[in-house]
Each structure stands twice: as C-alpha cells, then as structure tokens.
C-alpha cells in the first residue's frame, strides 16, 4: 500500500531508474526475516524503523530497554551475530537474515547464564534498567575473551551507562562470571 | 526513533552505491555503520530521501602491499581495526585511535570510512530543534549562528571530532575515493576543507574505498592522545597524533608530523612547529616549545563547554607528553631489539 | 530467639531474576491494544506571553484524535508543596504566558509518532516576547523582569521571591564578638540532573469510570493524589498500577504535565494514551536539581569550637516554586544537624528564574550545603593550626543530644563516625603529605574528609505506611504494600522482615506492591523512610499474623504461648519438640474454630508517631524525625598539576544506618552515591545559555562511566538492633552519602594542590587557574623578599 510512485531502484542490471517517490514521499515497506533468540520472525517494516522498535513493539520482547534512543547509553544493546550493538541506531532493514540475541535469550529455560547469576550474586542489579544491555555487553565480552582483565572489562562496558551501582559490583560480577580474582558471591 | 520517511536500498558493490548516490543528486546518503548518520537523522540535521546501505558489501581484510604499505578497506569496522593483529603490528597508532572511539558498541558498528566522514559537531546543532534553536543555523541552511552570533553566513565554527583522522594524517595516509568517473587518491589531509559548513572535500556521489598507509621507515615512532573528561564514551576535547622519524642516534628528528584534532573545523597540522623539530635533538625544552607553539597556532575553538584557554593548556601539556612518549617508545623498541 | 535468619543478611534481591531475564515490567513495557501516542508542545521561549493559540490545523490532521490546551483543563493548580503559605502555583498547561523553555503549552494524541510530530507543527501560537532573567541574584533585584509576583511574606526589597526560610537561635552578634577567629566565604554549585536511565513515561487508560495509569514514579499514592486533584476526580477513580521503575534519584516525585496530559487525552478519546519523554526533553524541559549559592560566616574559638554561624542560601529555583522552598528549609537542617552551633542565624531565599522547574535530587540540597560548610571547616582548621579531624571532633554531635528543633540524636552521633573514618583511613598520617614533600612527576595525592547527617521518613503526604500480610492456608504469605521498588530493594527488605517475623522462607513470601487500588497507602520512596516506616509496618503486620498463629496453636496444643516457638512454618513446644503443628494445620484450625479467620495481619507506621504536624517550612519550627543518620566520608584524590585533571581514587564511607537489614543493599547505595558524587565533583554540568539547554544528551552531559569507578569502602557504625516482635530503628542510607564525600573531594583537592575551590565541579580548568594563582602569589612573595629594603 506504500508502493505509490515508487520504483525499484536497480542499478546492477542497468535498467532505467526512476526516483520520483524519494524526496519526502512514502517509503517502501519491506518484509524482513530475523532470527531472535533462535526464533525466526517475518516482519514488515518501513526503512526508518529501528531494530529496538521491532524487538520491543513488533516481536514483543520488552526486556531490551529504550532509554536515550540516540546511540549513547547502551540500554538497548543486543547481539547481532554475536556483536554487541545499539538497537536504537540500527535500522531493522539492516538486520534482514541476521541472528539476534536479546536478554531473553541468555537463560536456558529456568537456568540462568553464569553472567546473569553473577550479577545477582554481586548485587550488580539495582533499578535494573541498564541491566539487559549490560548483560549483553558482558556476554559478548566473555564469549570473545573468557578471561578479561579489568581494563578489558572497562573497554567492553564503557558504552553502558549505569546510574545506580557505581559500576563496582558490575565489574565484580564479570570477574566472578569469568572465574577470576577469586571473586565470591556477596549475596546469598 | 526517526520521525520522517525515507527509502532504502542495499548496494552489492561500491560502484552500485556510487551510481545510486549520483542519480539522487544530494537527496541520498550512504549508510555504513550508521553511528553518526542515524543519530543525525534522528535530530533531523540531515533528512535524506534515500539511504544507500553498504552493509551488503564485505570489506576486504587489511593487507600489506608489495611496497610495505598497508591497505585498509574503508568499510572495515572500528572493532576489527582495534583488534586486528596485522593493524596492531604494522600501524599501531591506527589501532590505538580506533580503540578510543565512542564506546564498544559504536566501534562494533562504526566503520573506518564512516568515522572519517562524520559530521562536525556543535552543542547547538546536536539536538532536535523542536523547541530549542528552532530557527535553522547556517549549518542547517538558515540565517544565524547560535554560539557565535557575529559570524558571517559562510562561517560555521563547528568542530570535526574524528579520533582516527589525526592519526591517519600523522601517518601520511591517503584515501582512495570512488566516484562516478573512477577512483582518485588524495592525502587524508586533503579530505578536509576546514569549512564547517562542508567539512569534507567529497562530492555527493563519492565514497571512500580504502585507506592506504605508507610503510614505516626505520626510526619511525609515534604518539597518540585523546583528551577526555571521562576516559571513554565521549568525543575528545582535543586529539593529538604525532609521527616522528628519528636518526640513528635515536634523538635527532629527521621528520615530524603533528596533528591536532577535535578543536577546529578539521584536523590541524602546525607546520612551523613540525619544522622546528626537524634536524634537531629532541630534548625536553624543544618539545615543550613545539607544544606551546602548536597550542597557539592551532587557535582552538571553544567547544563543548571548554574555553579556548583551557584547550590551549590541554594541547600544550599533552602534546609535549605525547612527543616525549613517542621518543620513549623509540627507545623502548631499540632496547627491546 | 535473637538468632536472625533473614534480617541482617545479604539476601539476594527478590526482583533480581526478573530483572536479569528481561521479564521485569517497567512502564514502557506495558502494552494495551489501540494505544494512541501523545506528544507535548513546548515553549521555545524562556519568557513570553501567549497572545493566541490556534489548534485547528492540528485537529484537522487525519490521525489526530484530540488536542488539549489549558482551556481544556479545570484550571486546578498543583505544586510540590501545597500549604497555606505556599499554595499550589502551577497549572498543568501554560495559561497566558510561559516562564521557561520547554514549558508545556498543548498536548495531543495521534495514531502514531509521525502524525503526532506533524500535528505539533500545526499548532499556531502568537507570542509577545518578555524579558527574561536567569541568575537568582539578578532576579531578586527590584526592577528585574517579574516572573511571578513576590511572595506576600517576602521582604519588599526583593523581587521574584518564591519563598523564604528564616530562623535563629542564641545571639549571633554576641557570638561573633566572642569568637577568636571569624571568616566569611561564598560557595556555588553547578546545575546537575538526575540521570535516571528509564525516561519519564506514562500510559493512561480511561475505562468506564476509572482512570488506569502506569507511570514511572517514586510513590504511587502521591501521584494519585495530585493527578486526581488536577483532573477533579475522586481518588477511587484513579488507579496507579505497579511497574518497576528504572531509576529516579528524586526526579520522578512531582506531578508532571505529561501525566496529566496522557490521562486527559485518554478521557477524551476513550483510548489508551502513552506519552514518553525523549532524553532531550528530560534534559531541556524537565526538572533538574537546585543550584544553591551559600554565603557562610563562621566564628570559632581558638581550639576550633564553633561559636556562631550565619548562613545565607539563595536557590535558583526555576520558573515555578517546585521544591525550591523545601530546599531552602532543608539547607538550614543540613547546617544544624552535624555540629553544635550555639548561635545561628539562617536565611534562605527561593528565587524564581526563567529556568526549568526544580525537583529534589538525591540529598535535596545537602551535598551543596555540606560542601560549603565542610570546605570552610578545613579553612578554619588550617587558619587555627589544627587538623581536620580535631576540629570536627570538637563540634560533632554525640548520642542523646537535643537538636534546636526538639529532635534527639538518640543513639546516633557524628563523633563516632568521624573517629572511625580517621582511624580507618589513616587520615592524619596521610594529610598534607604530598604538599610537605612533593613527589617527583606531576601527580599529587590528597586526602580530605567531609561529614554529614540526614533525616529519615520526615512527615509529608502521605505521612504513614500500612502493610497487610495475608497467610495462605499452606503457611506461605502474601504481602500487600504500597512501597515502590525503584531499585533500592524495598521488596527484598520487606520480604526479609516478613520472613523473619513469621519464620517462613524467603520464597514463601510474595509481594504485591505499589498499586493504589490493591495495596495500602505508603509514604513512597522519596523521603528516605521506607525501610523504617514501611518496614516497621510490615514487621507489625507480620507480627500480628504471628500472634494469631501462636494463639490458635496454643489453644490446639494446650500450651502457653510463651512455650511455643516458630520455625520453618512449624509451631513447636519449647520443652517438648514432639509436640508440634504445621502452619497449614494451625491455619485450618483457625478457620475451623475462629469463625473463619484465615489469619491476616495489619500494620501501620509513621515517623514521630505522636507528633501532630510536620515542620514549618518558613520558620523551621516543628520536629522532623527520630532517625538521624550521621556519616563521615574520606576521599583520596589524585591531581595532575600540569593538566588540572583530577580523579577520585578511593572513598571511605563510615555511616550510621542504625541496623542494616540487608548489608549488601546498603553497600549498593553507598557505591552508587560515591559514583554520583564524583560525577558532581569532576564531570557533570547541565550547560545552559539564556534558559536553553546546550547539552541535552549523555555525550555532552558527562555522567560517570565504568572508567570512573573509585574504590569504595564502607563501615557501619551499628547503633541499633533488630529483635523479632519489637519495633526497630533504621536510618537513612540512600541519599545522605553524596554530601560528605563531595566535600571530602574538595578538601582532598586542596590537600593535594593547595587550591581551594569554592564551586563545583572541580574542573581541570578551575584547578589549573588555582595553581596559576598560587604560582603568581608565590612569585610576588619571592620578588618582594628580594627587593632591597
């Protein structure tokens, strides 16, 4: 229904290209497929729709949080093909065919991941709004680098703001999850 | 979220992307990592009718060419740059400059080319204009300048804040640019116009294809520093990159390139300060003098709440230290050999 | 019986599993079918008259379902304070004129974001621009642009006064005359914001005769009262539902215009309406903290004993009264609690300016007041040649002291905190070290101390909390509490108390919380009293249920209640363990023999249970609390004397929270406040120009990142105990610990460099300027001494 005036732009085949609909006109809705936490979803989106909107509003996984919505705070961090990225500045159309992991995909059934457990053990969760993004950044770090130094942890989590904890408990949680520095649970 | 509609095409090759951009004549923008473009669109500083996505184009891996220079695809992600064994070994300053960009998620998405082609920044520009600064400024095609009201319409004192550009200029790198008529190659330094209204010397239908960094000669050493308040997740108050060529004695400078970024409309090279080092023994006093001269001639724009005086202080001290660290690095390497 | 199983233990958070799996529902996660998107039209001017508003073009846009302006409201005003002296002063939408950039003028509901955005651009307004004023001392001057008329009780020589607080005791002039040393200083603070991660968001749905609201808040009962009032609805027609809250720090207490607008738009359209504030709106149109100017004159004896203090506080309170008049009242309190001051005169002015309205922020003025006083304390000590610990010990409050307002310090006291902080930090061995013998290089370490005190659960609407504990017939319990968990862990703490009192497991306790229709009234999470007030109500409610369990068991087992013990959902006979009943059996027996009593316990609590009123904001008369929390904090900083760059390396917090119900939750509060304080000290500032916000985002408003962590150690001075069945006293620990450490950082910068900073933030630029001034002064001394006689 949004096709009025829009012509497929196809340069590779050398066709004559018309672009009458571009400036300020309706944009073409696209059907994309993305695999979120192991489930494939087919979603119709306009190009301007961000991945965070699809995850939260269309698929209904609201664990991923929308906070600054301008690519700064990290609350919306999800993993695309294992890489931590900001879903608030990622166009959904760019994720066609991609594997996406959100906070809902960390636990296996009732069993929390070691990172999730460590966050609880260390009191690294207060209001919890940064937590999903923080967990995704930490998970990506440990998958790539199972024994990170404190400096590695800082670099991996510098794009995730937390106003509650002062970060100390969060660093301890990542150290605990990686089995380093003999960090023991402080909450039972 | 972006509150206007645009169309989207994914290019399979850079040539396709250029052809699309050419046809749209200014209404299309190339989308690489999107970490600068999409926030800009959210703020409606830019309202393209079409995004030409480059995400379907797989970047070539960094490679060392026969002459020892290194060629890096412009679509290489910053995270790849900072973590690449090859880049860290052959051009460590580039890896370092990529390592300090934004936060990790930004580096995972952002690309080398995108970082170089980022927009200039200004506190008045970098927000939505729903009820603040509603009348467009010169940069947005309007008739005023909020921070510097007396500026003429052709002057936009915004700040170009790439962390990587200063490193590449210090390294005497070139960019390969793909346009409708083929590729051209220019120095990275020539990519910047020094005009905040149009900071890049690229036409609408040109895209960066690759960055080429010449091989380091024996005696090469470098220093890099990004001044921030928080140590991460922010643009620099000043970015300093230094490349020195030392004679065999390890103290006499035979060539010097100093670049200061994030304080002007483009990266700045204090040529006189560079010359003052060449042929000289690099002692404390000389480095101090070069740093002091640089902080003056760079003439930093007050930006993001930092006064000109403070930026000059910051550049002076950190440049001297960066030069000293470059020298120390050369000594350490000599000692380690 | 003194053995505690849950209370006093670092029990894991009840809400933890939901929060790490993404299941916790925050307001932005609540979805209702057919929801409309609401947006607010905001003022582009700091001060202007609205000559005409025309919404017809917006209304005509397809997809726009409703547009409201002040003409669609009942014209009922609201305010953070609503007393006879300070009647509510703000309408939910601007009437006739706007007084700050971003002020709400109109609101609309549309089918989607894009339509709403377009429609905002179709509202036409004709303006008459008025002169504006932004600095409080400019605004106070007669002849300044009038934002609102002077408060009728304010001195006539001023303008734009929203309120004043004045108090004194002793004889201030005599005090100064008797002092051996007197000094006068002026301190200022920057504009800071709360930085909660979750944006302001409200979803409202009017169904039949009920307004259902989900909103990110700090207390559902305050929200209900204010929202019902401006909508002119009975409280029973407004239901605020429970959601988790993603951080508040003081910034989500007041009624916000968007909450009204979402509600009203839903009432008009009959559809759910959601309004989310963008981060930029929160920065440039919502409420920040209050920058205070403090002028302090202090007189002391040679030994450092305080004799007299005169304080003048000027609050840049923004364009409406907000909590500005509360801050100038509290500023007096933060002066008088920690130290004995025999003669004091205090005057505070809350001044209207064309800035956004102000809200409380963690500490509500205390960080600024303590920064000023504790900085001056060190200056006085140095002038007298005594050390920072001695001067504080000389004046620090002891247990059992009566305060000027009639409160008592009870078992709390500052002296013990200062002494322990000095000892644990090895303060006297470290202080002055780097300046006495500067190390090589450019880094200097410095140490500083600051002290503070904070009250808990002071009376303000709704004053008291009630809790209901319902026993299930298997012996588990449901707790109904109005307490809202904003991250501080109230659900965990309440569960610990109920589990302890009933001798059941943490998993046996399930909490239903913060829902105005299904849970009893609660004070809210914003006056530092939830663990004390709501916690005691929960203790009492569980205790009543326990008494009933024991009573029934006693009848069935034929034993005296005194001989019964509760353990793991069982009642045992103390002397004969074979004689026992499960809770299941007891409750069945209660239903059978007590006319169907399923065993429900009710509890209620209030601070100062027998005090009739809350204190007077104007005269300071009246009591505050029986729970003063004292604290002393030590900062170790590192300063680069070439660049001026400074950072907090290590913080030590010695605090008296009474008794920690959950020590790790307390530690979490301490660490978070250290982080917030170092942001205050070194990084954060909302930059404004002519009332416009220049850095409405987290790139340019520099909140601490993970790189800015400091080592944070803490020690409790335990002054109270928890005993099952007995009232307990816990004290504030969630907002009072920014103050001492902020002051300590200022003092530590001085210790490292000799640069005394009179304003926050301690930016590299200010430190460098200070170092230059010292260098210049030293040069002058040198050249003077070289000059021929």
């Amino acid at each position: 229904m949004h096709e009025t005036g829009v012509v497929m732009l196809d340069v590779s085949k050398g066709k004559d290209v018309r672009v009458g609909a571009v400036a300020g006109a309706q944009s073409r809705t696209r059907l994309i497929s993305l695999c979120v936490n192991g489930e494939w979803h087919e979603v119709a989106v306009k190009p301007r729709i961000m991945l965070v909107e699809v995850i939260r509003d269309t698929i209904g996984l609201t664990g991923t949080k929308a906070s600054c919505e301008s690519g700064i705070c990290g609350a919306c961090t999800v993993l695309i093909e294992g890489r931590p990225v900001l879903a608030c500045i990622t166009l959904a159309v760019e994720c066609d065919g991609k594997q996406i992991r959100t906070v809902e995909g960390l636990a296996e059934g009732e069993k929390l991941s070691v990172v999730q457990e460590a966050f609880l053990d260390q009191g690294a969760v207060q209001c919890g709004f940064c937590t999903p993004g923080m967990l995704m950044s930490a998970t990506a770090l440990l998958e790539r680098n199972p024994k990170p130094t404190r400096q590695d942890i800082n670099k991996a989590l510098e794009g995730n703001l937390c106003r509650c904890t002062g970060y100390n408990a969060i660093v301890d949680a990542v150290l605990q999850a990686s089995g380093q520095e003999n960090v023991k649970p402080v909450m039972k | 979220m972006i509150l206007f509609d645009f169309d989207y095409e994914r290019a399979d090759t850079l040539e396709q992307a250029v052809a699309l951009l050419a046809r749209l004549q200014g209404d299309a923008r190339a989308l690489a990592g999107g970490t600068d473009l999409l926030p800009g669109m959210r703020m409606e500083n830019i309202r393209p009718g079409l995004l030409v996505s480059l995400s379907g184009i797989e970047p070539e891996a960094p490679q060392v060419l026969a002459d020892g220079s290194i060629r890096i695809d412009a679509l290489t992600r910053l995270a790849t740059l900072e973590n690449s064994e090859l880049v860290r070994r052959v051009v460590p300053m580039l890896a370092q400059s990529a390592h300090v960009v934004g936060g990790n998620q930004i580096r995972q998405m952002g690309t080398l080319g995108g970082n170089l082609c980022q927009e200039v920044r200004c506190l008045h520009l970098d927000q939505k204009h729903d009820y603040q600064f509603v009348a467009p400024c010169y940069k947005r095609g309007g008739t005023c300048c909020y921070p510097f009201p007396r500026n003429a319409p052709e002057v936009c004192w915004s700040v170009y804040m790439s962390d990587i550009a200063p490193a590449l200029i210090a390294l005497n790198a070139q960019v390969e640019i793909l346009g409708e008529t083929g590729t051209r190659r220019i120095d990275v330094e020539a990519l910047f116009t020094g005009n905040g209204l149009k900071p890049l010397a690229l036409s609408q239908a040109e895209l960066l294809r690759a960055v080429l960094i010449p091989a380091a000669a024996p005696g090469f050493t470098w220093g890099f520093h990004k001044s921030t308040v928080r140590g991460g997740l922010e643009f620099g108050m000043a970015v300093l990159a230094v490349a020195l060529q030392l004679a065999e004695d390890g103290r006499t400078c035979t060539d010097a390139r100093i670049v200061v970024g994030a304080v002007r409309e483009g990266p700045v090279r204090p040529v006189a300060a560079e010359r003052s080092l060449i042929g000289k023994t690099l002692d404390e006093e000389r480095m101090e003098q070069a740093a002091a001269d640089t902080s003056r001639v760079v003439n930093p724009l007050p930006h993001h709440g930092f006064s000109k005086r403070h930026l000059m202080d910051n550049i002076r001290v950190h440049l001297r230290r960066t030069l000293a660290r470059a020298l120390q690095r050369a000594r350490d390497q000599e000692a380690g050999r | 019986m003194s053995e505690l199983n849950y209370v006093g233990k670092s029990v894991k958070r009840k809400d933890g599993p939901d929060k790490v799996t993404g299941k916790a529902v925050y307001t932005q996660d609540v979805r209702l079918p057919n929801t409309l998107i609401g947006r607010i039209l905001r003022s582009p001017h700091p001060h202007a008259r609205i000559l005409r508003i025309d919404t017809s073009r917006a209304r005509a846009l397809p997809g726009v379902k409703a547009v409201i302006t002040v003409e669609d409201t009942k014209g009922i005003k609201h305010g953070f304070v609503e007393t006879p002296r300070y009647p509510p002063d703000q309408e939910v939408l601007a009437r006739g004129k706007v007084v700050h950039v971003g002020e709400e003028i109109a609101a609309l509901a549309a089918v989607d974001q894009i339509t709403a955005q377009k429609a905002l651009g179709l509202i036409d307004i004709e303006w008459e621009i008025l002169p504006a004023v932004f600095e409080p001392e400019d605004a106070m001057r007669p002849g300044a642009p009038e934002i609102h008329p002077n408060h009728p009780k304010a001195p006539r020589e001023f303008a734009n006064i929203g309120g004043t607080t004045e108090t004194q005791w002793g004889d201030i002039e005599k005090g100064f005359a008797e002092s051996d040393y007197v000094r006068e200083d002026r301190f200022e603070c920057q504009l800071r914001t709360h930085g909660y991660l979750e944006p302001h968001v409200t979803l409202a749905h009017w169904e039949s005769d009920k307004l259902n609201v989900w909103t990110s808040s700090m207390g559902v009962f305050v929200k209900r009262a204010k929202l019902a009032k401006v909508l002119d609805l009975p409280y029973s027609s407004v239901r605020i539902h429970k959601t988790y809250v993603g951080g508040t720090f003081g910034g989500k207490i007041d009624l916000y215009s968007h909450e009204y607008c979402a509600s009203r738009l839903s009432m008009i359209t009959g559809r759910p309406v959601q309004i989310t504030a963008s981060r930029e709106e929160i920065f440039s149109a919502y409420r920040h903290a209050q920058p205070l100017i403090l002028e302090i004159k202090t007189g002391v004896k040679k030994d450092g004993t305080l004799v007299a203090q005169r304080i003048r506080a000027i609050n840049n309170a923004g364009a409406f009264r907000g909590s500005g008049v509360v801050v100038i009242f509290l500023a007096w309190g933060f002066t008088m609690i920690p130290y004995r001051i025999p003669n004091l005169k205090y005057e505070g002015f809350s001044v209207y300016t064309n800035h956004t309205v102000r809200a409380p922020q963690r500490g509500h003025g205390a960080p600024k007041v303590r920064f000023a006083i504790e900085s001056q304390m060190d200056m006085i000590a140095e002038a007298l040649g005594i050390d920072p610990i001695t001067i504080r010990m000389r004046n620090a409050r002891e247990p059992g002291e009566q305060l000027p307002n009639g409160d008592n310090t009870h078992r709390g006291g500052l002296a013990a905190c200062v002494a322990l902080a000095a000892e644990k930090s090895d303060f006297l061995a470290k202080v002055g070290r780097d300046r006495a013998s500067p190390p090589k290089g450019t880094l200097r370490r410095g140490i500083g101390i600051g002290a503070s005190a904070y009250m808990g659960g002071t009376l303000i609407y709704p004053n008291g909390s009630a809790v209901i504990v319902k026993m299930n017939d298997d012996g588990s319990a449901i707790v109904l509490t109005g307490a809202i968990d904003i991250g501080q862990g109230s659900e965990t703490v309440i569960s610990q108390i109920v589990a302890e009192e009933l001798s059941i497991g943490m998993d046996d306790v399930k909490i239903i919380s913060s829902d105005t229709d299904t849970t009893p009234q609660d004070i809210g999470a914003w006056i530092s009293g939830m663990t004390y007030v709501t916690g005691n109500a929960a203790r009492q409610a569980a205790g009543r249920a326990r008494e009933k369990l024991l009573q029934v068991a006693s009848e069935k087992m034929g034993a005296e209640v005194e001989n019964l013990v509760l353990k793991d959902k069982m009642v045992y006979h103390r002397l004969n363990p074979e004689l026992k009943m499960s809770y299941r059996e007891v409750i069945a027996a209660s239903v059978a023999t007590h006319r169907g009593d399923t065993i429900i316990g009710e509890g209620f609590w209030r601070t100062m249970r027998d005090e009739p009123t809350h204190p007077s904001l104007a005269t300071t008369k009246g009591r505050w609390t029986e729970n003063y929390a004292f604290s002393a904090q030590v900062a170790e900083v590192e300063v680069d004397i070439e660049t001026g760059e400074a950072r907090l390396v290590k913080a030590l917090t010695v605090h008296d929270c009474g008794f920690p119900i959950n020590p790790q939750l307390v530690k979490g509060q301490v660490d978070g406040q250290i982080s917030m304080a170092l942001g205050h000290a070194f990084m954060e500032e909302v930059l404004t120009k002519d009332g416009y916000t220049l850095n409405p985002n987290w790139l340019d408003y520099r909140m601490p990142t993970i790189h800015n962590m400091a080592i944070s150690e803490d020690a409790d001075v335990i002054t109270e105990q928890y005993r099952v069945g007995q009232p307990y006293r816990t004290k504030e620990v969630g907002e009072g610990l920014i103050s001492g450490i902020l002051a300590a950082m200022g003092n530590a910068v001085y210790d490292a460099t000799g640069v005394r900073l009179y304003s926050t933030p301690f930016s590299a630029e200010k430190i460098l300027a200070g170092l230059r001034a010292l260098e210049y002064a030293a040069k002058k001394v040198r050249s003077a001494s070289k000059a021929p006689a």
Side-chain angles (χ1 to χ4, degrees), chain C residues 397-412:
Chain C
R397 297 270 185 202
E398 299 278 357
E401 276 194 43
Q402 174 107 348
L403 301 179
N405 64 341
D407 282 345
N408 194 288
T409 59
H410 298 290
R411 279 191 281 275

Side-chain angles (χ1 to χ4, degrees), chain C residues 422-434:
Chain C
E423 183 200 317
K424 283 186 92 81
S425 63
D426 205 7
F427 189 91
L428 291 176
K430 288 179 179 168
V431 70
R433 201 153 61 184
D434 273 15

Side-chain angles (χ1 to χ4, degrees), chain A residues 3-188:
Chain A
E3 294 289 324
T4 327
V6 178
V7 169
M8 290 289 284
L9 299 171
D10 191 341
V11 181
S12 57
K13 293 175 191 137
K15 281 186 194 160
D16 184 29
V17 174
R18 285 181 295 137
V19 290
V22 169
Q26 294 269 349
S27 64
R28 206 149 33 95
T29 298
R30 288 166 178 264
L31 198 61
I32 59 166
S33 303
L34 32 85
C35 184
V36 182
N37 303 329
E39 282 179 31
W40 283 95
H41 297 264
E42 255 191 7
V43 182
V45 290
K46 289 199 170 197
R48 68 179 172 82
I49 298 299
M50 295 295 177
L51 177 60
V52 70
E53 297 171 73
V54 168
I55 291 173
R56 287 177 48 82
D57 303 341
T58 315
I59 298 175
L61 292 172
T62 56
T64 302
K65 294 292 170 252
S67 176
C68 74
E69 297 197 72
S70 47
I72 303 169
C73 75
C76 66
T77 304
V78 299
L79 306 189
I80 301 183
E81 307 288 339
R83 291 183 301 118
V85 302
L86 300 168
C88 75
I89 53 166
T90 299
L91 296 182
V93 285
E94 291 274 272
C95 302
D96 193 12
K98 294 270 166 61
Q99 290 284 338
I100 289 155
R101 231 169 131 197
T102 70
V103 69
E104 288 92 342
L106 292 180
E108 283 179 36
E110 291 291 291
K111 191 172 164 20
L112 300 181
S113 74
V114 290
V115 185
Q116 288 172 311
E117 284 288 3
F119 268 60
L120 298 182
D121 290 345
Q122 295 299 330
V125 177
Q126 287 189 28
C127 86
F129 210 76
C130 76
T131 304
M134 205 63 92
L135 288 168
M136 299 321 287
S137 282
T139 299
L141 167 69
L142 294 177
E143 282 174 0
R144 193 175 55 80
N145 179 2
K147 299 285 173 202
T149 62
R150 281 173 178 265
Q151 178 57 22
D152 294 338
I153 296 169
N154 284 2
K155 282 306 280 183
L157 300 186
E158 69 184 345
N160 292 84
L161 290 176
C162 168
R163 191 60 152 172
C164 295
T165 65
Y167 304 100
N168 307 54
I170 291 172
V171 173
D172 286 347
V174 179
L175 288 171
Q176 182 194 318
S178 63
Q180 297 188 97
E181 292 192 21
N182 200 24
V183 176
K184 294 272 181 276
V186 296
M187 301 189 90
K188 310 275 187 228

